[in-house]
Amino acid sequence: MESSDVQRGGGSLRRSPFDLIMNQIRRKRAASDRKPLGRFLSRDRTGIPEDREERGAAEGAESECDAGWGRVCVFLQRLGKKADSRSLNLAHCDLTATDLLELATLLQFLPQLEEMDVSWNGLIGGSLKALTSHLQHAGGVRALRLCSCRLDAEDLAALGEALGCVPLLEILDLSWNSGLGGGALQGLLGKLPPPLKELHLVSCQLNAADATLLGGLLSGLSGLCVLDVSCNPQLSQEVEAFREFSSSLCHAASITTLRLQACGLTEDGLHALGGSLHGLPSLRQLDLSCNRGLSGGLSHLTLHLSHLTHLQSLDLHLCCHTHTDLQDLIQALPSLPALTELDVSSNKEVGGALHSLLPALPLTQMRRLPLNSCSLSQEAFTALAVCVPYLRSVDLSWCKVVGGHLPLLLDALQPAVLTELRLSSCELTTDDLQHLAAVCRRGLLSSLLVLDLSYNASVGDEGWSALFAAGGLGSLQEVDLSLRPLTSAPCTAWLPALLCALPPLPALTRLSLQGWTSSPRDRKQLKHCLRKKSVLLEWDSPNEDETSSFKSTNQESPEE
């Protein structure tokens, strides 16, 4: 190595080769001293820095996660759904067994999933194991809904085996699976997670044997709050089995809602249930509606209602109550201080007992008292005006006495209290609608959400026009003005008033005009206006190709 000259000031300094080498070593050592020693320590002999390796692993995991989430988004987009890391709603998607398997493989990319709904997919019945075998990847799920999926006993057994993977499950809905009756519930015995708060088994064709199994399920669910086994008419067929089910309710003393609608209850079944009510001190909602076999035996329930001091809602509609039943109920009502909702509708005898029923209610706290199809007399209708100022919902549908006397009811309203008004098939007159319009102008119905004036063809064009021109319905969400099936009438005279009324109705989501006819131009104009507001229009179109898109939802009264 040759020597080097370094100019310093005006002279020169000769350095030896040894000096040059030592300077180079010093510079390298100084540079290395400025770096953390840990950067050069590796976990193996490859010499790859530790932080660089960790960063690469993290980036790889993140890239894999992003790719997995991308697969989830593509899968949901194909089904017309939006991706949500916490909620998976695939109801009414025509899922097949293949789709279910693909969904199962995607659960690993949804670690934050809390709600899963695959209801109303009838093609996945018999193949639920493809999904349940991957539930360990969705351990945080709190709500699982599998309604109307044609599930069978094997599906339920597979679900039972997998429930241990979802220890936080609070809501399980298996309703509308007819294959679960006849002992399939055996697959869930001892498998339901203790935190479960809601169990729904509506219309599953449960029978007497299942009533016994239900009792076994309840014994391990001390935290259950909602039990709904409605629409299982054979559930109470055998008295002893139903008595066993009723006595097991005390194991779930925290139940707040019990629904036994249309369960084939008879006097004997009601006697068994009534004797168990003392074990349900937290009960707030009790639904025994649509059990016609209770006629004449309501005393088996009313004798025990005093135990339900927190009961807020009692549903006894369509139970064919006799006059004696209603008298027994009237005597028991004072023992229900928390009651806010009582449904005795679709019982003709109520009309003659209403004047005695109303004084027994805590009127100032009542929020809902439907009286549709109750054969109200003029005296009963007049007495109702005392209760109306406090109600949030008024349903007098199919009560002909309302026609021509609606002002008596409307004049008792308090401002911005009523949220639901149903007056279907009440033979309303034009004067009734004009009075309703005047009430709207005064702002008394500013909180109204639902207005049902269907099946009132006796109202003239002036009445409909006055209602729509009145305003004061800014909160309205649903309106039904339909005519009876197989009837029709022109709406050309008042349709312009309806069109002008739509812009001030920002919350409107549904408008039903079944049976009304108009010119194609008016119909097109209305549909265009509603489409901009995303409003569901139910309007049969006999001369158009859209008939299938607008189906009537109206039904005849069960009492008429």
Side-chain angles (χ1 to χ4, degrees):
M1 183 178 296
E2 297 181 358
S3 60
S4 171
D5 292 334
V6 178
Q7 300 293 333
R8 183 175 293 178
S12 65
L13 175 65
R14 179 171 297 275
R15 292 183 177 179
S16 68
F18 178 79
D19 293 332
L20 294 174
I21 293 173
M22 292 304 296
N23 286 336
Q24 291 176 6
I25 292 175
R26 292 189 188 97
R27 284 195 297 269
K28 291 181 179 179
R29 183 173 298 172
S32 66
D33 289 344
R34 290 192 297 268
K35 298 178 181 178
L37 184 60
R39 287 178 58 87
F40 291 89
L41 295 178
S42 60
R43 285 174 289 182
D44 52 30
R45 296 181 180 179
T46 59
I48 300 175
E50 182 177 358
D51 65 334
R52 196 174 296 173
E53 185 174 294
E54 291 179 350
R55 191 186 312 117
E59 290 175 353
E62 184 177 352
S63 176
E64 183 180 355
C65 184
D66 290 342
W69 177 247
R71 287 175 54 192
V72 172
C73 294
V74 171
F75 176 76
L76 294 175
Q77 186 177 12
R78 189 173 75 236
L79 298 172
K81 299 288 186 176
K82 292 183 179 180
D84 186 333
S85 62
R86 297 185 181 275
S87 178
L88 188 63
N89 185 356
L90 296 176
H92 300 280
C93 284
D94 294 325
L95 295 180
T96 63
T98 304
D99 294 326
L100 197 65
L101 181 59
E102 183 177 357
L103 170 63
T105 62
L106 296 176
L107 291 181
Q108 59 183 311
F109 305 116
L110 294 167
Q112 297 179 324
L113 192 63
E114 296 181 355
E115 298 183 14
M116 187 187 309
D117 187 352
V118 291
S119 301
W120 307 100
N121 289 290
L123 298 178
I124 67 175
S127 57
L128 190 62
K129 190 172 183 179
L131 177 66
T132 58
S133 59
H134 290 76
L135 275 183
Q136 69 272 15
H137 298 298
V141 168
R142 297 179 180 274
L144 179 60
R145 295 180 173 87
L146 297 164
C147 306
S148 190
C149 291
R150 295 186 180 178
L151 303 183
D152 55 23
E154 292 184 3
D155 291 323
L156 215 57
L159 176 62
E161 293 298 327
L163 286 178
C165 300
V166 283
L168 302 179
L169 191 67
E170 296 180 351
I171 301 174
L172 179 60
D173 195 343
L174 302 172
S175 300
W176 310 103
N177 286 290
S178 58
L180 301 188
L185 292 180
Q186 183 76 36
L188 296 180
L189 276 178
K191 306 293 180 59
L192 294 174
L196 195 70
K197 296 184 182 301
E198 296 186 21
L199 179 59
H200 301 266
L201 294 167
V202 178
S203 190
C204 290
Q205 291 193 4
L206 304 182
N207 55 28
D210 297 311
T212 303
L213 289 173
L214 271 174
L217 291 177
L218 293 176
S219 62
L221 299 175
S222 58
L224 193 67
C225 295
V226 178
L227 177 61
D228 191 349
V229 290
S230 299
C231 303
N232 289 289
Q234 297 180 358
L235 186 65
S236 60
Q237 196 171 37
E238 294 183 11
V239 177
E240 289 303 319
F242 190 76
R243 181 176 288 111
E244 186 175 347
F245 160 72
S246 298
S247 61
S248 67
L249 289 173
C250 63
H251 297 299
S254 59
I255 288 182
T256 59
T257 299
L258 178 60
R259 298 192 181 103
L260 294 166
Q261 182 189 84
C263 283
L265 284 177
T266 60
E267 288 189 43
D268 292 334
L270 193 61
H271 179 71
L273 179 63
S276 302
L277 292 181
H278 68 277
L280 299 175
S282 301
L283 196 64
R284 285 170 170 76
Q285 296 183 30
L286 179 60
D287 186 352
L288 302 177
S289 61
C290 304
N291 286 291
R292 296 174 182 267
L294 299 184
S295 179
L298 196 61
S299 60
H300 294 300
L301 172 70
T302 56
L303 288 174
H304 303 280
L305 284 180
S306 59
H307 297 295
L308 306 180
T309 55
H310 298 289
L311 192 68
Q312 298 174 354
S313 174
L314 179 59
D315 194 341
L316 297 169
H317 82 267
L318 199 60
C319 288
C320 298
H321 296 307
T322 64
H323 181 75
T324 302
D325 288 331
L326 294 175
Q327 293 303 317
D328 292 335
L329 177 62
I330 290 171
Q331 292 180 10
L333 286 177
S335 64
L336 300 175
L339 195 68
T340 60
E341 299 183 8
L342 175 64
D343 191 345
V344 289
S345 61
S346 299
N347 290 290
K348 291 184 177 181
E349 292 294 329
V350 172
L354 188 62
H355 63 283
S356 300
L357 178 68
L358 291 176
L361 291 170
L363 291 181
T364 58
Q365 66 186 42
M366 291 301 295
R367 298 297 176 260
R368 187 169 178 269
L369 182 65
L371 294 169
N372 48 294
S373 302
C374 283
S375 300
L376 296 184
S377 63
Q378 180 63 51
E379 179 186 4
F381 182 70
T382 304
L384 182 61
V386 179
C387 186
V388 166
Y390 310 103
L391 297 178
R392 300 287 186 270
S393 173
V394 172
D395 188 350
L396 297 175
S397 298
W398 310 96
C399 294
K400 308 306 180 184
V401 69
V402 180
H405 302 95
L406 187 59
L408 179 65
L409 186 75
L410 297 178
D411 290 342
L413 294 176
Q414 294 293 321
V417 172
L418 198 64
T419 60
E420 182 179 31
L421 179 60
R422 297 185 182 275
L423 300 171
S424 177
S425 190
C426 286
E427 295 186 356
L428 299 180
T429 66
T430 300
D431 289 340
D432 289 331
L433 264 290
Q434 289 176 337
H435 199 89
L436 178 60
V439 169
C440 292
R441 280 193 297 271
R442 296 201 301 270
L444 297 182
L445 297 177
S446 58
S447 297
L448 196 66
L449 304 177
V450 178
L451 178 61
D452 184 357
L453 300 175
S454 59
Y455 298 3
N456 285 290
S458 52
V459 176
D461 294 336
E462 298 83 359
W464 298 117
S465 297
L467 176 63
F468 299 132
L473 295 172
S475 301
L476 204 58
Q477 296 178 358
E478 298 185 21
V479 182
D480 194 343
L481 309 175
S482 300
L483 300 178
R484 288 178 177 272
L486 305 180
T487 63
S488 62
C491 62
T492 306
W494 52 264
L495 192 59
L498 174 60
L499 289 170
C500 293
L502 290 176
L505 299 178
L508 190 65
T509 59
R510 173 179 172 265
L511 174 63
S512 185
L513 298 173
Q514 302 285 16
W516 293 101
T517 61
S518 69
S519 66
R521 178 183 177 183
D522 289 341
R523 185 185 295 269
K524 183 176 180 180
Q525 185 178 1
L526 178 60
K527 290 181 178 179
H528 177 70
C529 180
L530 294 178
R531 192 173 291 116
K532 292 191 298 182
K533 297 166 63 69
S534 299
V535 176
L536 172 63
L537 175 62
E538 297 174 348
W539 198 0
D540 48 6
S541 309
N543 298 323
E544 301 180 19
D545 295 333
E546 300 173 326
T547 305
S548 60
S549 300
F550 303 94
K551 296 181 179 179
S552 175
T553 58
N554 293 302
Q555 299 177 350
E556 292 293 331
S557 166
E559 292 293 323
E560 235 179 64

